[in-house]
Amino acid sequence: MTPEVDTDLRSLHVDQVGSLLRPPPLLDAFARFRAGELDEATLLGVQDDAVRAVVAEQERRGLPVVVDGELRRIH
């Protein structure tokens, strides 16, 4: 006998633990910011783009909960 599977994602318990991998453009922006080659406003713009992309990918995959991946975290 096969157990019944609930496919309603609204009832799914989801925990996001930890951060997502930073994309290369964001890693580069952090390095350039630390080296004094990039101002804070430009860094924030790169972070915004990275966060939008990671949220869009999670939505594309149908995740019931999305996170920013801690892409704004400095360390």
Side-chain angles (χ1 to χ4, degrees), residues 3 10-11 19 21 23 36 43 49 54 58-61 70:
R10 293 174 294 187
S11 66
S19 59
L21 293 177
L43 173 61
D49 291 344
V54 76
Q58 292 169 83
E59 289 174 337
R60 187 184 73 75
R61 293 175 181 262
E70 296 186 0

Side-chain angles (χ1 to χ4, degrees), residues 19-34 38 40 42-54 68-75:
S19 59
L20 301 174
L21 293 177
R22 293 179 176 166
L26 184 55
L27 292 172
D28 180 61
F30 274 117
R32 292 178 56 210
F33 179 73
R34 283 191 300 273
L38 202 66
E40 185 175 2
T42 304
L43 173 61
L44 290 174
V46 175
Q47 288 174 313
D48 288 346
D49 291 344
V51 167
R52 277 192 286 276
V54 76
D68 69 357
E70 296 186 0
L71 298 181
R72 295 189 189 282
R73 195 181 73 208
I74 298 297
H75 302 289

